[in-house]
Structure formats: structure tokens, C-alpha cells
């Protein structure tokens, strides 16, 4: 090869290298000005670190995942429906749809804050049955669908055509053939296998209306980042029976041979069903554009029990992190004992401080977490907080009978939080979640008893045992913690 050609190639590579280096520094400097204005300090620092070390690939990653802002079309639909629902709420207060029980001052503060954040009031006159086994949930839901006469609305993050989800799918088709209006919404990523298997097309052919929540693709019209997910689990039958909780509609092994997910859901009857129905109608309207029939939300509902409960939807379409604000507020109000169960624990600074302050005031704070995690990065990031939490005086109990997937918090045995939201930054800020707040000692007792059963199958972690873990593991935990705002 002639010397001139070699020099030309050499100069070309020098030019490419120079352009890469200059552009990399331009990316670093530009993002240093942009990122801190769009994120919390922790998330901004994590993004700047990854962009600094690998500018071009991480710039592309940031463009795909770096904003939790939703397109204006979705936000406008959400705001429009909230305005219409405000009129519905006024009418509901004139019927049995919104019985407002009397609360002590400490609980009234939480109830008022929850209504301000989630736009739904506390309602009495409800009855509920806790469900721990996925097989029981599937059987009960199938029975209710088979008895349905008018409508069946389902929203699940994961729906699988297996021994748990399969019977529900078949029940939907039977109901549809009877003339029942059946609507099914599944998350595009969580239920990706069902979509790829062609079952969605089959369901539509059977008369079931199916919508994908937040369809995943590189160029999306429905959301700004592809990992925004609808993590809710809701089922409503004839507007009179509802289910929600942490169960996905899938075999509790999730394909693992030696690991079983332990969940909790609840079957509800009473006025709270209307609130869960409103959340479903909003999601359906936002995704499909089909105008919701809000008249059904104002129809009188029978009283079935004495449970006082409040629905709290959350997600990036709200101005604040609804559920996180409520959890932190309740932690500050605690006087005796707080119990938390969660599979993924990645607290932000305000939640860490709330737990620390509670412990300093003498409140017994108990965290129940899985001894094993199904997610490598998230699991190690969560463990990086354990020593800090124990130093605060917080108890950490590692659940050993499967993977604890129930998401609950009880405060002083008279306030209970229950639903789909993990205690991590992703659930607080990015996912669309649905949670319930139960008010009163009788209402919280059943959830406290379930938490006590989890405690009985857990081993309390000690600082001495935790400090004995290998140096390599501790290094990995520290590294993943740096990126915890992005997980």
C-alpha cells in the first residue's frame, strides 16, 4: 500500500478520533447544564456519572429513558377526566357512593392529603377478603366473571395464559359470548409474551376488547420513555365487585423452579369499587380515546360492611409522587410501630429521613424484605441500604419462604397501606400504580396479621452478620447504589 494511502487512512482515523473526543466533551458540558434542571439531585448525579464515562451511548440511553414526562395528549386527557370526575364526586356525596366516616385527627390528616393528591375521598360501607394464593385469586375471579351480567373490566401488568391466567382468559370469552361487555388492558412489556403468542388477536376475535397499556417501541407516541409501565392490578365485575393488590395473573413461580412469589390481593364490595372503576375508566380512555360512561360511577352502591378505605392512584401523570408523599407523611405521624413489606427497597432521601426520625422518636420500624431477589441490579442496590438502616435502629427481616412480593405498610395498627407499589424510586416516580389506604384498627388488623406471618418466616439481619459478606459483594452493592435513582 502506498505511503500516501497509509497517511490518508491515519489522518482519517485521527479526524474521527478528534471529532469523537470533541463531541464527547460537548455532550458532557451540555448535559451538565440540562440534566440537573430536569431531575432530582440524586437522579441527576446518576445520569451525569454514566454520561461522563460513556457519552455517546449514554446520551442515546438518556434520550430514550431520561424523561418521565408524558406527551401533552395523554396529560390533557388525564386532566380533562379529572375535571369531569370532580363533578361526579359531588354527585356521589349525595348518594351512597361516598360515605365519609368520622376519623381521629391523626388519620384525618392522611385522608385529607390522600384526597388532595389522588382526588378520591375516603369511603365507608365496604367489605373485603384478603387473598394470599394466586390459585384462590384466579378461582374467585373466574367465578365472578362467570356470574357477570353487564361488564367485566380487567387491568393487569402481567397476564399469562397458564394455570392462573388461562382460566381467567377463558372466563372472559365465555362472558363475552353471553353478551357481557368485556374489556382487558394489559401492559405492553409485562404481558409481552401473551401479545407475542397471538392470544390478543384471538381474544378480540371472541368479542373481548383488548388494549395495550403504554405500547413499547423505539419511536413511541404514548410516552416519553419506553420503560414507563402500567404496574396496576385491577379487576371490576358488574361495577359491584373489585380486586386489587400485588398479584399478577400468572403462576407464582414466574418460570422459576425453586422460587415462589408470595403476594396479597383483596376482593372488595361496596362504594370503593366505584373508585377502582374510575381508575380503570381513566386508563382505558387515555389509551384508547373511547369516551368513558361516567354515569355508572354515580349509581347507588349497597353497603356491605364497616371497612373505611380510600383509593390512591399514582403515576407520572400526577404533579407529585402521590404514594411516596403519603408514606413519608404517615411515617412522621407514627408513634409506636411501623411494619413494611416490599420486594424492592430503594428509598429516596426523604423516605430514609422519615424512617430515621421515626426510629429516633422510639417508633419500632420493621422492614420485611426477600432473602433472595429476582433482579440482580435492583437486589444489590437495595442491599446497599441495609447497613445504613440498621445503624438508624431499623429492624431488617429477611423473608425465607419464597420471594416476598406483597407491598404493604401498617402504622400503629390502625392505618394500613396496600397495593401494587413497591417502596422504590421506580414505583414512586415512574410506574402507574394503584394502592388502598385502610383506616381504623379493625380494618388494619387483617393486614397486620398477614405481616406477622411474614415475620414468623423471616430471619432478622444483624450488623455483625451483614458485615461479614465478601468485599466483592460490598463493592458491587456500592456501585449499584450509585445508579439506584435510575433503577
Amino acid at each position: 500500500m502506498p505511503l500516501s494511502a497509509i497517511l490518508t487512512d491515519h489522518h482519517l482515523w485521527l479526524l474521527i478520533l478528534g471529532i469523537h473526543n470533541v463531541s464527547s466533551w460537548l455532550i458532557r458540558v451540555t448535559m451538565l447544564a440540562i440534566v440537573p434542571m430536569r431531575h432530582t439531585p440524586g437522579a441527576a448525579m446518576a445520569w451525569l456519572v454514566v454520561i461522563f464515562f460513556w457519552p455517546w451511548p449514554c446520551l442515546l440511553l438518556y434520550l430514550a429513558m431520561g424523561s418521565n414526562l408524558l406527551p401533552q395528549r395523554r396529560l390533557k386527557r388525564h386532566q380533562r377526566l379529572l375535571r369531569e370526575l370532580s363533578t361526579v364526586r359531588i354527585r356521589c356525596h349525595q348518594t351512597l357512593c361516598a360515605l365519609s366516616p368520622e376519623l381521629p385527627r391523626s388519620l384525618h390528616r392522611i385522608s385529607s392529603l390522600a384526597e388532595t393528591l389522588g382526588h378520591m375521598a375516603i369511603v365507608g360501607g365496604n367489605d373485603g377478603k384478603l387473598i394470599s394464593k394466586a390459585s384462590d385469586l384466579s378461582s374467585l375471579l373466574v367465578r365472578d366473571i362467570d356470574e357477570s351480567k353487564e361488564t367485566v373490566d380487567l387491568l393487569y401488568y402481567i397476564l399469562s395464559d397458564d394455570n392462573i391466567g388461562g382460566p381467567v382468559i377463558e372466563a372472559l370469552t365465555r362472558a363475552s359470548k353471553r353478551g357481557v361487555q368485556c374489556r382487558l388492558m394489559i401492559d405492553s412489556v409485562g404481558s409481552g409474551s401473551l401479545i407475542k403468542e397471538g392470544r390478543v388477536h384471538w381474544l378480540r376475535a371472541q368479542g373481548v376488547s383488548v388494549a395495550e397499556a403504554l405500547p413499547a417501541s423505539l419511536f413511541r407516541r404514548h410516552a416519553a420513555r419506553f420503560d414507563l409501565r402500567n404496574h396496576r392490578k385491577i379487576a371490576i365485575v358488574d361495577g359491584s365487585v373489585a380486586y386489587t393488590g400485588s398479584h399478577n395473573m400468572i403462576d407464582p413461580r414466574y418460570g422459576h423452579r425453586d422460587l415462589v412469589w408470595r403476594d396479597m390481593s383483596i376482593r372488595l364490595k361496596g362504594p370503593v369499587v366505584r373508585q377502582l372503576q374510575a381508575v380503570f375508566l381513566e386508563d382505558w380512555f387515555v389509551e384508547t380515546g373511547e369516551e368513558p360512561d361516567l354515569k355508572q360511577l354515580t349509581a347507588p352502591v349497597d353497603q356491605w360492611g364497616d371497612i373505611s378505605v380510600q383509593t390512591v392512584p399514582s403515576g407520572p401523570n400526577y404533579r407529585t409522587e402521590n404514594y411516596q408523599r403519603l408514606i413519608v407523611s404517615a411515617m412522621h405521624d407514627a408513634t409506636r410501630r411501623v411494619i413494611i413489606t416490599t420486594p424492592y427497597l430503594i428509598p429516596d432521601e426523604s423516605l430514609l429521613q422519615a424512617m430515621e426520625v421515626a426510629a429516633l422518636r422510639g417508633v419500632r420500624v420493621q422492614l420485611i424484605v426477600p432473602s433472595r431477589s429476582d433482579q440482580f441490579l435492583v437486589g444489590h442496590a437495595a442491599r446497599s441500604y441495609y447497613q445504613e438502616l440498621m445503624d438508624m435502629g431499623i429492624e431488617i427481616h429477611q423473608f425465607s419462604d419464597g420471594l416476598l412480593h406483597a407491598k404493604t405498610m401498617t402504622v400503629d395498627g390502625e392505618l394500613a397501606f396496600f397495593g401494587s407499589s413497591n417502596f422504590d424510586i421506580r414505583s414512586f416516580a415512574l410506574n402507574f400504580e394503584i394502592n388502598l389506604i385502610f383506616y381504623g384498627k379493625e380494618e388494619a388488623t387483617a393486614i397486620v396479621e398477614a405481616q406477622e406471618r411474614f415475620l414468623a418466616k423471616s430471619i432478622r439481619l444483624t450488623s455483625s452478620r451483614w458485615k461479614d459478606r465478601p468485599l466483592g459483594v460490598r463493592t458491587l452493592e456500592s456501585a449499584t447504589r450509585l445508579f439506584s435513582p435510575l433503577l
Side-chain angles (χ1 to χ4, degrees), residues 101-332:
E102 293 294 329
L103 296 176
R105 179 177 295 182
S106 59
L107 298 184
H108 181 72
R109 287 196 296 269
I110 291 294
S111 173
S112 297
L113 177 60
E115 184 172 359
T116 299
L117 294 171
H119 308 284
M120 293 190 181
I122 180 176
V123 289
N126 303 283
D127 183 49
K129 176 184 178 181
L130 287 177
I131 306 166
S132 58
K133 293 183 178 180
S135 57
D136 292 343
L137 172 63
S138 177
S139 297
L140 286 169
L141 182 55
V142 166
R143 185 194 68 186
D144 285 333
I145 294 174
D146 282 337
E147 294 176 356
S148 63
K149 295 179 176 61
E150 297 178 0
T151 61
V152 176
D153 294 325
L154 304 184
L155 166 56
Y156 278 94
Y157 175 62
I158 300 177
L159 174 63
S160 179
D161 190 8
D162 58 12
N163 60 309
I164 300 300
V168 174
I169 292 173
E170 295 294 335
L172 274 178
T173 62
R174 291 194 297 270
S176 178
K177 290 176 181 177
R178 295 197 312 272
V180 176
Q181 181 190 39
C182 296
R183 291 181 290 194
L184 169 65
M185 178 174 287
I186 51 177
D187 184 81
S188 179
V189 172
S191 299
S193 297
L194 188 76
I195 296 169
K196 293 176 183 177
E197 292 167 0
R199 296 294 276 173
V200 168
H201 296 294
W202 179 81
L203 279 165
R204 287 171 177 157
Q206 304 303 310
V208 178
S209 299
V210 184
E212 290 183 42
L214 301 165
S217 63
L218 185 60
F219 303 101
R220 296 182 56 185
R221 295 182 298 109
H222 295 286
R225 53 186 288 179
F226 69 85
D227 64 335
L228 288 177
R229 304 288 10 119
N230 193 320
H231 197 239
R232 293 168 176 163
K233 293 92 174 169
I234 304 173
I236 306 108
V237 179
D238 285 341
S240 60
V241 179
Y243 296 79
T244 191
S246 66
H247 280 99
N248 288 297
M249 202 55 64
I250 187 173
D251 184 275
R253 288 179 174 80
Y254 284 76
H256 295 258
R257 292 183 178 180
D258 60 343
L259 194 61
V260 178
W261 270 242
R262 305 297 183 187
D263 281 284
M264 287 177 62
S265 291
I266 189 168
R267 181 180 186 269
L268 293 159
K269 299 188 75 173
V272 70
V273 174
R274 290 285 189 259
Q275 295 186 341
L276 292 168
Q277 191 173 24
V279 176
F280 176 87
L281 289 175
E282 180 193 343
D283 279 350
W284 190 265
F285 171 59
V286 168
E287 291 294 350
T288 67
E290 296 179 13
E291 293 289 338
D293 180 11
L294 299 182
K295 293 180 180 179
Q296 56 189 301
L297 300 180
T298 60
V301 178
D302 292 335
Q303 298 184 57
W304 289 90
D306 300 320
I307 294 177
S308 299
V309 62
Q310 188 171 17
T311 302
V312 183
S314 61
N317 52 343
Y318 287 88
R319 293 180 58 188
T320 58
E321 298 173 12
N322 292 358
Y323 199 55
Q324 186 267 4
R325 301 297 192 268
L326 289 166
I327 291 296
V328 169
S329 180
M331 193 80 66
H332 284 301

Side-chain angles (χ1 to χ4, degrees), residues 381-400:
R383 294 187 187 102
S384 71
Y385 292 91
Y386 288 1
Q387 188 60 57
E388 181 179 355
L389 289 166
M390 286 188 286
D391 290 342
M392 293 176 182
I394 294 167
E395 299 177 20
I396 297 179
H397 300 261
Q398 293 184 305
F399 183 78
S400 56

